[in-house]
């Protein structure tokens, strides 16, 4: 009886830890996506100085998230997001509004994709 109780307790602990990890990922992605709105507005207005300032905040936010996300999400997703930041930086430096907006759309997709991919759903388990 004791091993069964211990197994159930460990399962519940693991389940709660997974739920907390998914919530942390969702909150982090939402915070980062909030910066994207301001960045996109700056790019559309071709206010490159403001865009670089907001981009720096995005990179800072990502640095804080990525250190913890590495243990929770697929490494390919991490790589895709980091490449998106590198390409966006290049477009901002070149002051190419159209390409920068395309990279913003890509980063937005990745920020939506990661929480969806990590959520506890039957389709993600099977």
């Amino acid at each position: 009886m004791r091993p069964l109780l211990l197994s159930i307790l460990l399962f519940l602990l693991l389940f709660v830890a997974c739920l907390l990890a998914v919530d942390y990922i969702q909150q982090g992605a939402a915070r980062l996506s909030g910066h994207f709105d301001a960045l996109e507005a700056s790019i559309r207005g071709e206010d490159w100085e403001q865009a670089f300032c907001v981009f720096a905040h995005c990179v800072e936010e990502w640095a804080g998230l990525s250190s913890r996300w590495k243990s929770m999400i697929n490494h390919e997703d991490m790589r895709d997001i980091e490449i998106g930041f590198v390409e966006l930086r290049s477009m901002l430096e070149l002051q190419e509004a159209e390409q920068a907006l395309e990279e913003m759309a890509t980063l937005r997709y990745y920020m939506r994709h990661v929480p969806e991919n990590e959520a506890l759903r039957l389709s993600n388990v099977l």
Side-chain angles (χ1 to χ4, degrees):
M1 185 69 172
R2 206 171 179 162
L4 179 63
L5 187 59
L6 183 61
S7 296
I8 291 172
L9 184 62
L10 285 173
F11 175 76
L12 289 175
L13 185 64
L14 181 62
F15 185 73
V16 168
C18 287
L19 289 176
L20 291 173
V22 168
D23 185 58
Y24 177 76
I25 290 168
Q26 289 174 338
Q27 287 180 7
R31 276 196 322 267
L32 194 56
S33 294
H35 291 297
F36 290 166
D37 294 336
L39 181 55
E40 186 174 344
S42 297
I43 293 169
R44 287 189 188 282
E46 296 191 13
D47 184 356
W48 300 110
E49 187 175 317
Q50 178 66 20
F52 272 108
C53 182
V54 175
F55 181 76
H57 289 296
C58 289
V59 170
E60 186 178 311
E61 183 82 32
W62 172 245
L65 289 174
S66 67
S67 64
R68 292 188 178 110
W69 280 20
K70 286 179 184 177
S71 63
M72 293 185 257
I73 70 169
N74 186 332
H75 294 284
E76 290 176 7
D77 291 337
M78 293 284 295
R79 185 195 67 227
D80 291 342
I81 293 169
E82 289 173 0
I83 289 171
F85 275 114
V86 168
E87 291 177 356
L88 180 56
R89 178 187 301 274
S90 296
M91 293 304 114
L92 291 175
E93 289 172 353
L94 294 172
Q95 297 184 357
E96 293 286 339
E98 189 173 315
Q99 287 87 356
L101 290 171
E102 288 175 15
E103 290 305 322
M104 285 296 310
T106 301
L107 277 172
R108 281 183 190 275
Y109 169 78
Y110 290 142
M111 283 299 127
R112 279 192 314 269
H113 171 73
V114 170
E116 289 172 3
N117 198 31
E118 298 300 320
L120 259 106
R121 293 189 193 131
L122 189 57
S123 61
N124 289 346
V125 174
L126 297 177

